[in-house]
Amino acid sequence: MKAGDIVRLQNLHECWGTFALITHVCITSAGTGQIHVIANGMNAAIPWRGHEKYISDVIIERDQRIRIECEMEVDNAGSRQR
């Protein structure tokens, strides 16, 4: 997991929503730290230890999202020229 990934949340209060955008991952050499996210419009953090309890999977990786956005820009540019 890295900044820019979109993840699916689980086992959290409903105010967190279903998905979150990772904004920063900070892990210490001792294996502790936090995953900072924007979830349902709020800034929040999930502890690194045990993050599997709260994050079920990565839905869209940052690199994949950028590729999709670039493809959409190219497609939109082409449709404007028609």
Side-chain angles (χ1 to χ4, degrees):
M1 283 180 279
K2 60 189 174 301
D5 288 355
I6 298 174
V7 295
R8 186 186 319 270
L9 302 173
Q10 62 184 7
N11 301 319
L12 292 164
H13 189 274
E14 62 187 30
C15 71
W16 283 68
T18 307
F19 304 100
L21 171 68
I22 296 177
T23 58
H24 181 71
V25 178
C26 178
I27 306 168
T28 67
S29 59
T32 61
Q34 295 182 325
I35 302 168
H36 297 265
V37 299
I38 297 175
N40 206 20
M42 65 179 182
N43 290 313
I46 296 171
W48 177 256
R49 284 198 176 167
H51 68 273
E52 299 90 357
K53 178 179 178 181
Y54 305 110
I55 298 175
S56 64
D57 55 320
V58 175
I59 301 300
I60 301 175
E61 292 184 4
R62 177 184 178 273
D63 300 334
Q64 179 184 6
R65 194 181 80 239
I66 291 170
R67 218 175 12 258
I68 291 168
E69 289 172 356
C70 289
E71 288 172 2
M72 289 175 61
E73 286 178 9
V74 168
D75 187 48
N76 287 340
S79 63
R80 281 187 295 229
Q81 294 174 353
R82 292 179 191 166

